[in-house]
Amino acid sequence: MDQLMSALADPERLKLYARIVLDELEPRDEDSPAVRKHLGRLVSTGLVERRPDGTLRADPSVFRRERPAEIHPAVPRRLTGFFARGRLTSIPVRAAVRHELLVHLTGTLFDTERTYTEGEVNDAFRTVHEDTSALRRYCVNDGLLVRERDGSSYRRAHA
């Protein structure tokens, strides 16, 4: 659903979509580079389909499709706004909320009985967010991950 809304967020693309819905788009209008660009996005998101005869049709059923579950059930309710499609969309600014998130992440991504290399820590964090260095640094600063002085290994702190 987010992709659909994103595709319709552009005013020019929205106007083009409306013209297709109302069957007011002339075939010659499709030759414009701007129209082709916007049309490509509408087609790729499923908002518009090209029929075998070359005509365009807006597909209203795309809005009725069931929205996939976006959040893993194990994510604490207070943190669900920071996740989309199982990925962390942003790191909370407020320290208390960020700490709660980091507790959740370290609890789900790392075993207390194991030592991890920096690469393994990065790989684990990368499953939820691209800024692995920030997550790693926050976890060390909050005492959730213990880093060896030489930086060679990490382990989850005991609760």
Side-chain angles (χ1 to χ4, degrees), residues 127-138:
T127 64
V128 292
H129 197 268
E130 290 305 311
D131 194 351
T132 60
S133 59
L135 290 172
R136 194 178 62 244
R137 183 176 54 252
Y138 286 135

Side-chain angles (χ1 to χ4, degrees), residues 82-94:
F82 294 100
F83 287 85
R85 293 184 209 87
R87 304 250 325 142
L88 181 64
T89 57
S90 64
I91 299 172
V93 175
R94 289 186 47 220

